[in-house]
Amino acid sequence: MTGRSVPRWAITVTMLAVLVGAGLGVNALEANAPPNGPIGVRMTLGRDSVVHPLQVNVSGARAYETILDEDENPLETVGVWVLVDLSYATTDEPNLPGDFVLVDAHGRRYPTTGRAFSEWFASPDLWHRGTLAFEVPLDALGDLTFEAWPSGQGTASDTPMPYGVLALRVDPGAVEPGPAVVAEPELLPAGER
């Protein structure tokens, strides 16, 4: 064997090639690896959005001091009521609609009220329209985020799944005294939202 030495530049080029190749390999693995946790899907006001297994169309939101429940009894709250008007269906099989949450600018989360309102059962291509009621403190109004989660999955899941995200603006100076009526959800004719 001869004692011939390898030039420094060849060692440097080889090391750079190994490092670049390792970096490309790590990037490819990260790009193809499943995500950790839920993935927000941006929704648009007044347009159908698919968040499997839901199809959702939010038409607006407003605030009231008091509302009437399904039996026309007044429901008071220490804050205000935010009513979100929407229609929805499922994508593949009949199911409960999901978990809906409002998030304020401070990151506080408000689920739909559990006081005296029934859930709507959804089916593929059979759209229901109705109103969701949220109890929030007055200082939560302003810029809100509406989230639509698959039924029973909840917001704490670390499963890679889509959930809908919609920016809503509810003016703190436009709170109606009410009482607002939260009507029973209605089944819509084909093509209507």
Side-chain angles (χ1 to χ4, degrees), residues 67 75 81 111-117 132-135:
I67 63 174
L75 291 176
W81 294 95
T112 54
T113 185
R115 301 203 292 173
F117 293 100
L132 301 175
F134 299 86
E135 294 179 73

Side-chain angles (χ1 to χ4, degrees), residues 53 55 89-95 122-127:
Q55 301 177 73
T90 58
T91 55
D92 52 8
E93 60 186 46
N95 202 349
S123 296
D125 298 322
L126 292 177
W127 286 78

Side-chain angles (χ1 to χ4, degrees), residues 28-99:
L29 285 173
E30 285 180 358
N32 293 315
N36 295 326
I39 304 140
V41 175
R42 187 128 345 254
M43 297 169 48
T44 303
L45 192 66
R47 302 193 74 169
D48 293 356
S49 299
V50 176
V51 184
H52 184 73
L54 292 178
Q55 301 177 73
V56 182
N57 186 318
V58 177
S59 56
R62 60 207 186 282
Y64 289 90
E65 291 176 3
T66 187
I67 63 174
L68 299 178
D69 68 10
E70 292 171 330
D71 298 322
E72 297 190 12
N73 298 313
L75 291 176
E76 306 265 336
T77 183
V78 294
V80 294
W81 294 95
V82 173
L83 302 183
V84 176
D85 300 315
L86 77 156
S87 55
Y88 69 85
T90 58
T91 55
D92 52 8
E93 60 186 46
N95 202 349
L96 288 174
D99 301 315

Side-chain angles (χ1 to χ4, degrees), residues 120-146:
W120 322 335
F121 198 76
S123 296
D125 298 322
L126 292 177
W127 286 78
H128 287 79
R129 180 186 312 146
T131 303
L132 301 175
F134 299 86
E135 294 179 73
V136 304
L138 183 58
D139 69 347
L141 296 183
D143 293 323
L144 296 167
T145 301
F146 175 80

